[in-house]
């Protein structure tokens, strides 16, 4: 089946988020070390970014490094940081050519200086681009993000900048690292794991979830189109009943 052909361009998800999982298992299957899996995961990253830009998706968020990932062996953490710098550096031209804007969410201050520098440079250079916004979640976890939001809200209340009675969803959203980004309509997780793993817990309230057994380095544009096809077959009800949704259309 040609999944791309069956995509309804008028009903694209505005924001797709991806938990890229299975690099380590992919490497093990090939008899390589874990880093070999991450290196091959980069090809899937560039394919999915390209596919999103081509289709006209507005936001793509990739879970590239979680808060918990800092606890992995140092050699793996260092290799991932190195891979981040080299990929961001290598892809700058492609981002510019394709009108892609780069953003990052997470505890960016925790990243090594050289990663932060390369990241900030690319964010600045691409800041005026108006096509796809590519969001890298780096040193990110939802509990960190929510905790951080609560801390900053408490500070603003203490300093009389914020009235506690006026804290609603709109106000709360402003304190999240995703304040400028709409909630995802579709979340994809690869490698046959059925978990959210501390990713965008607040933002995923009404997101459609799509799981595939494919390991991340094997994930292709076709797999991405297939996930979008699946999403487009679903009826999103937001707590309403089917008839109400049909009357709105
Ligand atoms: C999960 O697989 C993957 C990661 C923790 C890192 C993802 C990073 C990349 C694909 C490369 C760099 C990314 C960018 C955006 C340039 P895992 O190691 O948890 O796999 P396993 O569950 O099989 O062990």
């Amino acid at each position: 089946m040609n999944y791309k052909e069956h995509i309804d361009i008028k009903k694209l998800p505005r924001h797709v988020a991806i938990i890229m999982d299975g690099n380590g298992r992919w490497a093990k299957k090939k008899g390589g070390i874990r880093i070999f899996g991450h290196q091959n995961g980069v090809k899937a990253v560039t394919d999915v970014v390209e596919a999103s830009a081509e289709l006209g998706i507005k936001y793509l968020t990739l879970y590239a490094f979680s808060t918990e990932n800092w606890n992995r062996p140092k050699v793996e953490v260092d290799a991932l940081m190195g891979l981040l710098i080299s990929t961001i550096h290598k892809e700058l031209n492609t981002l510019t050519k394709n009108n892609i804007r780069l953003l990052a969410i997470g505890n960016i201050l925790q990243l090594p200086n050289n990663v932060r520098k390369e990241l900030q440079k690319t964010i600045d250079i691409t800041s005026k681009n108006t096509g796809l916004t590519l969001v890298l979640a780096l040193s990110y976890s939802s509990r960190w993000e929510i905790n951080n939001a609560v801390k900053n809200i408490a500070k603003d209340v203490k300093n009389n900048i914020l009235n506690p009675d006026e804290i609603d969803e709109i106000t709360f959203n402003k304190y999240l690292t995703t304040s400028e980004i709409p909630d995802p309509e579709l979340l994809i997780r690869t490698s046959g794991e059925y978990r959210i793993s501390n990713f965008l817990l607040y933002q995923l309230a009404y997101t459609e979830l799509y799981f595939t057994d494919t390991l991340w380095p094997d994930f292709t544009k076709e797999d991405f189109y297939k996930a979008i096809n699946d999403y487009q077959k679903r009826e999103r009800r937001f707590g309403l009943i089917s008839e109400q949704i049909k009357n709105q259309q």
Side-chain angles (χ1 to χ4, degrees):
M1 176 154 158
N2 183 337
Y3 289 106
K4 190 175 184 187
E5 232 171 52
H6 288 85
I7 292 175
D8 181 347
I9 292 297
K10 291 191 292 298
K11 289 192 186 147
L12 282 177
R14 189 160 48 143
H15 181 180
V16 179
I18 306 185
I19 301 178
M20 312 181 286
D21 196 13
N23 293 351
R25 276 164 285 165
W26 185 92
K28 199 169 181 186
K29 260 177 45 184
K30 306 262 172 196
I33 55 167
R34 298 181 53 82
I35 294 153
F36 179 58
H38 298 313
Q39 285 163 343
N40 280 276
V42 174
K43 167 83 176 97
V45 169
T46 52
D47 277 0
V48 164
V49 171
E50 202 176 282
S52 302
E54 281 167 4
L55 284 174
I57 287 171
K58 296 305 289 179
Y59 295 87
L60 175 71
T61 299
L62 302 177
Y63 204 3
F65 195 86
S66 72
T67 307
E68 291 75 21
N69 286 155
W70 289 116
N71 299 322
R72 290 195 175 188
K74 186 174 181 311
V75 52
E76 185 173 344
V77 171
D78 290 349
L80 276 168
M81 292 299 139
L83 212 48
L84 266 168
I85 298 189
S86 62
T87 310
I88 295 170
H89 186 77
K90 257 195 257 156
E91 294 302 319
L92 176 60
N93 279 343
T94 319
L95 296 179
T96 310
K97 229 188 309 160
N98 293 293
N99 197 18
I100 300 170
R101 174 172 73 132
L102 184 70
L103 288 183
I105 56 168
N107 194 357
I108 304 304
L109 292 175
Q110 252 191 324
L111 296 170
N113 269 341
N114 53 352
V115 179
R116 243 171 45 211
K117 254 195 208 150
E118 194 64 42
L119 189 65
Q120 197 53 54
K121 186 184 96 190
T122 312
I123 290 173
D124 292 343
I125 295 174
T126 62
S127 66
K128 299 269 179 330
N129 291 347
T130 55
L132 171 72
T133 297
L134 170 62
V135 186
L136 296 184
L138 293 167
S139 192
Y140 174 88
S141 82
S142 266
R143 289 185 178 177
W144 165 81
E145 180 183 39
I146 292 168
N147 187 304
N148 206 42
V150 170
K151 217 184 285 176
N152 287 327
I153 286 174
K155 281 184 193 159
D156 283 354
V157 167
K158 193 173 156 205
N159 295 328
N160 290 320
I161 295 169
L162 189 64
N163 174 353
D165 292 330
E166 282 167 10
I167 301 173
D168 56 11
E169 284 188 23
I170 295 169
T171 316
F172 190 76
N173 190 48
K174 288 187 189 144
Y175 287 84
L176 295 172
T177 56
T178 52
S179 59
E180 308 288 313
I181 305 164
D183 290 344
E185 283 86 11
L186 172 63
L187 171 82
I188 299 171
R189 181 172 189 148
T190 57
S191 90
E193 305 288 354
Y194 299 84
R195 288 188 293 276
I196 303 297
S197 300
N198 216 349
F199 187 46
L200 302 174
L201 297 180
Y202 187 83
Q203 297 85 341
L204 293 177
Y206 285 103
T207 303
E208 296 293 330
L209 309 179
Y210 178 87
F211 299 99
T212 169
D213 286 341
T214 305
L215 302 175
W216 180 251
D218 287 331
F219 195 80
T220 61
K221 283 188 177 184
E222 269 309 290
D223 293 309
F224 186 65
Y225 300 143
K226 188 173 177 214
I228 292 172
N229 267 268
D230 191 278
Y231 161 83
Q232 291 190 329
K233 284 195 209 114
R234 302 188 193 181
E235 181 187 61
R236 307 190 70 216
R237 290 209 294 271
F238 303 96
L240 301 179
I241 64 167
S242 197
E243 285 70 18
Q244 289 175 300
I245 299 294
K246 285 188 182 112
N247 289 339
Q248 283 174 357
Q249 284 167 352

